[in-house]
mmCIF file of all heavy atoms in Angstrom:
data_model
loop_
_atom_site.group_PDB
_atom_site.id
_atom_site.type_symbol
_atom_site.label_atom_id
_atom_site.label_comp_id
_atom_site.label_asym_id
_atom_site.label_seq_id
_atom_site.Cartn_x
_atom_site.Cartn_y
_atom_site.Cartn_z
ATOM 1 N N VAL A 260 112.436 107.285 106.746
ATOM 2 C CA VAL A 260 112.148 107.217 105.320
ATOM 3 C C VAL A 260 112.452 108.543 104.749
ATOM 4 O O VAL A 260 111.987 109.562 105.145
ATOM 5 C CB VAL A 260 110.587 106.897 105.131
ATOM 6 C CG1 VAL A 260 110.386 106.757 103.556
ATOM 7 C CG2 VAL A 260 110.217 105.625 105.791
ATOM 8 N N ARG A 261 113.406 108.565 103.761
ATOM 9 C CA ARG A 261 113.986 109.848 103.235
ATOM 10 C C ARG A 261 113.652 109.990 101.794
ATOM 11 O O ARG A 261 113.642 109.078 100.980
ATOM 12 C CB ARG A 261 115.501 109.728 103.346
ATOM 13 C CG ARG A 261 116.016 109.537 104.728
ATOM 14 C CD ARG A 261 117.526 109.321 104.735
ATOM 15 N NE ARG A 261 118.078 109.319 106.089
ATOM 16 C CZ ARG A 261 118.380 110.395 106.778
ATOM 17 N NH1 ARG A 261 118.357 111.565 106.232
ATOM 18 N NH2 ARG A 261 118.833 110.333 108.066
ATOM 19 N N TYR A 262 113.350 111.248 101.466
ATOM 20 C CA TYR A 262 113.136 111.579 99.997
ATOM 21 C C TYR A 262 113.171 113.089 99.790
ATOM 22 O O TYR A 262 112.641 113.823 100.610
ATOM 23 C CB TYR A 262 111.758 111.017 99.528
ATOM 24 C CG TYR A 262 111.621 111.087 98.059
ATOM 25 C CD1 TYR A 262 112.325 110.113 97.294
ATOM 26 C CD2 TYR A 262 110.844 111.973 97.419
ATOM 27 C CE1 TYR A 262 112.226 110.109 95.900
ATOM 28 C CE2 TYR A 262 110.732 112.000 95.993
ATOM 29 C CZ TYR A 262 111.439 111.062 95.270
ATOM 30 O OH TYR A 262 111.350 111.111 93.920
ATOM 31 N N ASP A 263 113.707 113.435 98.709
ATOM 32 C CA ASP A 263 113.690 114.862 98.205
ATOM 33 C C ASP A 263 113.711 114.833 96.740
ATOM 34 O O ASP A 263 114.796 114.691 96.085
ATOM 35 C CB ASP A 263 114.959 115.630 98.735
ATOM 36 C CG ASP A 263 114.887 117.136 98.443
ATOM 37 O OD1 ASP A 263 113.938 117.498 97.729
ATOM 38 O OD2 ASP A 263 115.791 117.818 98.917
ATOM 39 N N GLY A 264 112.479 114.811 96.136
ATOM 40 C CA GLY A 264 112.336 114.745 94.653
ATOM 41 C C GLY A 264 112.994 115.903 93.966
ATOM 42 O O GLY A 264 113.286 115.853 92.742
ATOM 43 N N ALA A 265 113.172 117.030 94.621
ATOM 44 C CA ALA A 265 113.834 118.191 94.022
ATOM 45 C C ALA A 265 115.342 118.091 93.916
ATOM 46 O O ALA A 265 115.962 118.834 93.198
ATOM 47 C CB ALA A 265 113.409 119.497 94.806
ATOM 48 N N ASP A 266 115.881 117.137 94.601
ATOM 49 C CA ASP A 266 117.328 116.934 94.610
ATOM 50 C C ASP A 266 117.668 115.700 93.768
ATOM 51 O O ASP A 266 117.382 114.532 94.180
ATOM 52 C CB ASP A 266 117.792 116.728 96.018
ATOM 53 C CG ASP A 266 119.382 116.698 96.140
ATOM 54 O OD1 ASP A 266 119.992 116.418 95.087
ATOM 55 O OD2 ASP A 266 119.885 116.871 97.223
ATOM 56 N N ALA A 267 118.216 115.913 92.645
ATOM 57 C CA ALA A 267 118.557 114.829 91.715
ATOM 58 C C ALA A 267 119.510 113.764 92.358
ATOM 59 O O ALA A 267 119.434 112.588 92.089
ATOM 60 C CB ALA A 267 119.116 115.339 90.372
ATOM 61 N N ASP A 268 120.377 114.201 93.258
ATOM 62 C CA ASP A 268 121.273 113.319 93.881
ATOM 63 C C ASP A 268 120.456 112.364 94.751
ATOM 64 O O ASP A 268 120.817 111.156 94.843
ATOM 65 C CB ASP A 268 122.278 114.047 94.809
ATOM 66 C CG ASP A 268 123.298 114.793 93.958
ATOM 67 O OD1 ASP A 268 123.524 114.432 92.877
ATOM 68 O OD2 ASP A 268 123.869 115.815 94.515
ATOM 69 N N CYS A 269 119.421 112.766 95.385
ATOM 70 C CA CYS A 269 118.525 111.930 96.240
ATOM 71 C C CYS A 269 117.872 110.850 95.328
ATOM 72 O O CYS A 269 117.817 109.659 95.724
ATOM 73 C CB CYS A 269 117.550 112.679 96.986
ATOM 74 S SG CYS A 269 116.470 111.699 97.981
ATOM 75 N N VAL A 270 117.453 111.227 94.195
ATOM 76 C CA VAL A 270 116.764 110.325 93.259
ATOM 77 C C VAL A 270 117.708 109.300 92.701
ATOM 78 O O VAL A 270 117.381 108.101 92.618
ATOM 79 C CB VAL A 270 116.043 111.125 92.167
ATOM 80 C CG1 VAL A 270 115.461 110.149 91.127
ATOM 81 C CG2 VAL A 270 114.971 112.003 92.724
ATOM 82 N N HIS A 271 118.905 109.746 92.351
ATOM 83 C CA HIS A 271 119.877 108.887 91.635
ATOM 84 C C HIS A 271 120.914 108.257 92.567
ATOM 85 O O HIS A 271 121.528 107.258 92.165
ATOM 86 C CB HIS A 271 120.615 109.649 90.529
ATOM 87 C CG HIS A 271 119.663 110.090 89.487
ATOM 88 N ND1 HIS A 271 119.185 109.221 88.514
ATOM 89 C CD2 HIS A 271 119.084 111.244 89.221
ATOM 90 C CE1 HIS A 271 118.299 109.821 87.784
ATOM 91 N NE2 HIS A 271 118.258 111.128 88.146
ATOM 92 N N TYR A 272 121.098 108.735 93.820
ATOM 93 C CA TYR A 272 122.044 108.178 94.700
ATOM 94 C C TYR A 272 121.530 108.382 96.140
ATOM 95 O O TYR A 272 121.879 109.299 96.830
ATOM 96 C CB TYR A 272 123.424 108.838 94.577
ATOM 97 C CG TYR A 272 124.513 108.200 95.400
ATOM 98 C CD1 TYR A 272 125.114 106.996 94.989
ATOM 99 C CD2 TYR A 272 124.874 108.714 96.576
ATOM 100 C CE1 TYR A 272 126.083 106.387 95.795
ATOM 101 C CE2 TYR A 272 125.849 108.164 97.450
ATOM 102 C CZ TYR A 272 126.396 106.921 97.033
ATOM 103 O OH TYR A 272 127.372 106.357 97.780
ATOM 104 N N PRO A 273 120.646 107.496 96.596
ATOM 105 C CA PRO A 273 120.027 107.658 97.872
ATOM 106 C C PRO A 273 121.134 107.559 98.991
ATOM 107 O O PRO A 273 121.951 106.760 98.980
ATOM 108 C CB PRO A 273 118.999 106.493 97.986
ATOM 109 C CG PRO A 273 119.362 105.567 96.939
ATOM 110 C CD PRO A 273 120.104 106.288 95.913
ATOM 111 N N SER A 274 121.002 108.604 99.879
ATOM 112 C CA SER A 274 121.973 108.660 101.000
ATOM 113 C C SER A 274 121.447 109.605 102.059
ATOM 114 O O SER A 274 120.510 110.315 101.786
ATOM 115 C CB SER A 274 123.344 109.185 100.518
ATOM 116 O OG SER A 274 123.238 110.555 100.196
ATOM 117 N N ARG A 275 122.038 109.591 103.213
ATOM 118 C CA ARG A 275 121.635 110.473 104.252
ATOM 119 C C ARG A 275 121.978 111.907 103.910
ATOM 120 O O ARG A 275 121.259 112.835 104.299
ATOM 121 C CB ARG A 275 122.276 110.110 105.591
ATOM 122 C CG ARG A 275 121.835 108.777 106.090
ATOM 123 C CD ARG A 275 122.596 108.281 107.334
ATOM 124 N NE ARG A 275 123.947 107.979 106.889
ATOM 125 C CZ ARG A 275 124.811 107.456 107.673
ATOM 126 N NH1 ARG A 275 124.590 107.173 108.969
ATOM 127 N NH2 ARG A 275 126.052 107.123 107.147
ATOM 128 N N GLY A 276 123.039 112.130 103.135
ATOM 129 C CA GLY A 276 123.443 113.462 102.786
ATOM 130 C C GLY A 276 122.638 114.074 101.653
ATOM 131 O O GLY A 276 122.435 115.241 101.605
ATOM 132 N N SER A 277 122.222 113.240 100.698
ATOM 133 C CA SER A 277 121.463 113.813 99.573
ATOM 134 C C SER A 277 119.969 113.761 99.757
ATOM 135 O O SER A 277 119.247 114.578 99.183
ATOM 136 C CB SER A 277 121.846 113.078 98.274
ATOM 137 O OG SER A 277 121.411 111.739 98.342
ATOM 138 N N CYS A 278 119.471 112.911 100.646
ATOM 139 C CA CYS A 278 118.094 112.790 101.001
ATOM 140 C C CYS A 278 117.907 113.300 102.428
ATOM 141 O O CYS A 278 117.598 112.498 103.350
ATOM 142 C CB CYS A 278 117.593 111.359 100.814
ATOM 143 S SG CYS A 278 117.796 110.722 99.187
ATOM 144 N N VAL A 279 118.064 114.555 102.653
ATOM 145 C CA VAL A 279 118.080 115.070 104.000
ATOM 146 C C VAL A 279 116.590 115.238 104.553
ATOM 147 O O VAL A 279 116.479 115.219 105.804
ATOM 148 C CB VAL A 279 118.716 116.429 104.115
ATOM 149 C CG1 VAL A 279 120.278 116.317 103.804
ATOM 150 C CG2 VAL A 279 118.130 117.495 103.178
ATOM 151 N N LYS A 280 115.643 115.266 103.730
ATOM 152 C CA LYS A 280 114.281 115.333 104.192
ATOM 153 C C LYS A 280 113.777 114.002 104.686
ATOM 154 O O LYS A 280 113.784 112.936 103.930
ATOM 155 C CB LYS A 280 113.308 115.761 103.043
ATOM 156 C CG LYS A 280 113.430 117.210 102.672
ATOM 157 C CD LYS A 280 112.395 117.573 101.653
ATOM 158 C CE LYS A 280 112.530 118.983 101.192
ATOM 159 N NZ LYS A 280 111.516 119.335 100.127
ATOM 160 N N ILE A 281 113.396 113.956 105.962
ATOM 161 C CA ILE A 281 112.779 112.712 106.488
ATOM 162 C C ILE A 281 111.272 112.864 106.319
ATOM 163 O O ILE A 281 110.690 113.713 106.990
ATOM 164 C CB ILE A 281 113.255 112.501 107.947
ATOM 165 C CG1 ILE A 281 114.772 112.318 108.025
ATOM 166 C CG2 ILE A 281 112.491 111.331 108.566
ATOM 167 C CD1 ILE A 281 115.341 112.207 109.389
ATOM 168 N N VAL A 282 110.684 112.082 105.443
ATOM 169 C CA VAL A 282 109.291 112.221 105.161
ATOM 170 C C VAL A 282 108.392 111.377 106.009
ATOM 171 O O VAL A 282 107.173 111.593 106.102
ATOM 172 C CB VAL A 282 109.002 111.917 103.639
ATOM 173 C CG1 VAL A 282 109.680 112.944 102.786
ATOM 174 C CG2 VAL A 282 109.450 110.525 103.281
ATOM 175 N N ALA A 283 108.993 110.409 106.717
ATOM 176 C CA ALA A 283 108.248 109.540 107.626
ATOM 177 C C ALA A 283 109.310 108.743 108.514
ATOM 178 O O ALA A 283 110.440 108.655 108.157
ATOM 179 C CB ALA A 283 107.387 108.567 106.937
ATOM 180 N N THR A 284 108.753 108.269 109.630
ATOM 181 C CA THR A 284 109.507 107.434 110.491
ATOM 182 C C THR A 284 108.603 106.218 110.794
ATOM 183 O O THR A 284 107.467 106.364 111.169
ATOM 184 C CB THR A 284 109.915 108.059 111.857
ATOM 185 O OG1 THR A 284 110.706 109.204 111.542
ATOM 186 C CG2 THR A 284 110.753 107.137 112.710
ATOM 187 N N VAL A 285 109.085 105.041 110.436
ATOM 188 C CA VAL A 285 108.229 103.819 110.555
ATOM 189 C C VAL A 285 108.824 102.794 111.443
ATOM 190 O O VAL A 285 110.051 102.740 111.661
ATOM 191 C CB VAL A 285 108.003 103.228 109.103
ATOM 192 C CG1 VAL A 285 107.169 104.178 108.227
ATOM 193 C CG2 VAL A 285 109.287 102.840 108.450
ATOM 194 N N SER A 286 108.071 101.920 111.981
ATOM 195 C CA SER A 286 108.436 100.797 112.861
ATOM 196 C C SER A 286 107.620 99.629 112.511
ATOM 197 O O SER A 286 106.427 99.627 112.422
ATOM 198 C CB SER A 286 108.181 101.197 114.297
ATOM 199 O OG SER A 286 108.990 102.274 114.639
ATOM 200 N N ARG A 287 108.301 98.488 112.215
ATOM 201 C CA ARG A 287 107.675 97.193 112.008
ATOM 202 C C ARG A 287 106.447 97.293 111.266
ATOM 203 O O ARG A 287 105.355 97.000 111.716
ATOM 204 C CB ARG A 287 107.481 96.507 113.350
ATOM 205 C CG ARG A 287 108.767 96.239 114.103
ATOM 206 C CD ARG A 287 108.526 95.515 115.412
ATOM 207 N NE ARG A 287 109.729 95.347 116.130
ATOM 208 C CZ ARG A 287 110.043 96.041 117.212
ATOM 209 N NH1 ARG A 287 109.161 96.897 117.729
ATOM 210 N NH2 ARG A 287 111.223 95.852 117.815
ATOM 211 N N THR A 288 106.536 97.622 109.970
ATOM 212 C CA THR A 288 105.422 97.861 109.128
ATOM 213 C C THR A 288 105.672 97.236 107.739
ATOM 214 O O THR A 288 106.803 96.997 107.380
ATOM 215 C CB THR A 288 105.016 99.331 109.029
ATOM 216 O OG1 THR A 288 103.752 99.449 108.365
ATOM 217 C CG2 THR A 288 106.054 100.094 108.266
ATOM 218 N N THR A 289 104.556 97.100 107.020
ATOM 219 C CA THR A 289 104.639 96.666 105.657
ATOM 220 C C THR A 289 104.453 97.787 104.641
ATOM 221 O O THR A 289 103.642 98.681 104.926
ATOM 222 C CB THR A 289 103.552 95.606 105.394
ATOM 223 O OG1 THR A 289 103.779 94.521 106.290
ATOM 224 C CG2 THR A 289 103.620 95.015 103.954
ATOM 225 N N ALA A 290 105.145 97.778 103.547
ATOM 226 C CA ALA A 290 104.989 98.864 102.539
ATOM 227 C C ALA A 290 105.285 98.203 101.163
ATOM 228 O O ALA A 290 105.654 97.058 101.064
ATOM 229 C CB ALA A 290 106.093 99.903 102.773
ATOM 230 N N GLU A 291 105.021 99.002 100.102
ATOM 231 C CA GLU A 291 105.253 98.471 98.731
ATOM 232 C C GLU A 291 106.714 98.891 98.364
ATOM 233 O O GLU A 291 107.082 100.053 98.398
ATOM 234 C CB GLU A 291 104.310 99.193 97.771
ATOM 235 C CG GLU A 291 102.901 98.782 97.876
ATOM 236 C CD GLU A 291 102.038 99.445 96.887
ATOM 237 O OE1 GLU A 291 102.380 99.501 95.701
ATOM 238 O OE2 GLU A 291 101.016 99.981 97.333
ATOM 239 N N GLY A 292 107.488 97.895 97.981
ATOM 240 C CA GLY A 292 108.849 98.119 97.449
ATOM 241 C C GLY A 292 108.726 98.394 96.015
ATOM 242 O O GLY A 292 108.452 97.493 95.173
ATOM 243 N N MET A 293 108.857 99.637 95.548
ATOM 244 C CA MET A 293 108.660 100.042 94.180
ATOM 245 C C MET A 293 109.918 99.643 93.314
ATOM 246 O O MET A 293 109.737 99.069 92.237
ATOM 247 C CB MET A 293 108.351 101.481 94.058
ATOM 248 C CG MET A 293 107.054 101.826 94.797
ATOM 249 S SD MET A 293 106.775 103.636 94.926
ATOM 250 C CE MET A 293 106.579 104.037 93.279
ATOM 251 N N CYS A 294 111.121 99.954 93.772
ATOM 252 C CA CYS A 294 112.385 99.560 93.154
ATOM 253 C C CYS A 294 113.528 99.724 94.119
ATOM 254 O O CYS A 294 113.284 100.302 95.168
ATOM 255 C CB CYS A 294 112.602 100.343 91.886
ATOM 256 S SG CYS A 294 112.859 102.118 92.131
ATOM 257 N N GLN A 295 114.665 99.252 93.745
ATOM 258 C CA GLN A 295 115.845 99.355 94.636
ATOM 259 C C GLN A 295 117.009 99.847 93.777
ATOM 260 O O GLN A 295 117.110 99.555 92.592
ATOM 261 C CB GLN A 295 116.147 98.105 95.357
ATOM 262 C CG GLN A 295 116.316 96.891 94.543
ATOM 263 C CD GLN A 295 116.350 95.604 95.432
ATOM 264 O OE1 GLN A 295 116.688 95.655 96.575
ATOM 265 N NE2 GLN A 295 115.968 94.489 94.888
#
C-alpha cells in the first residue's frame, strides 16, 4: 500500500515511482475503497 501525500505526483498519478513510501503491506483483507 503506497502513499506520499507530500508528493503531488503520488496524489495525482499513483505509481511505484511517485509513491515510493510503502505505508503498509496487506494480505487477503478488507478495506474501504475511497476512490479510484
Side-chain angles (χ1 to χ4, degrees):
V260 180
R261 301 172 172 274
Y262 194 74
D263 187 354
D266 187 341
D268 289 337
C269 179
V270 174
H271 295 285
Y272 186 79
S274 71
R275 293 173 292 186
S277 63
C278 301
V279 294
K280 286 185 185 177
I281 297 172
V282 295
T284 301
V285 296
S286 298
R287 298 183 185 107
T288 190
T289 302
E291 290 180 49
M293 298 169 66
C294 66
Q295 52 191 336

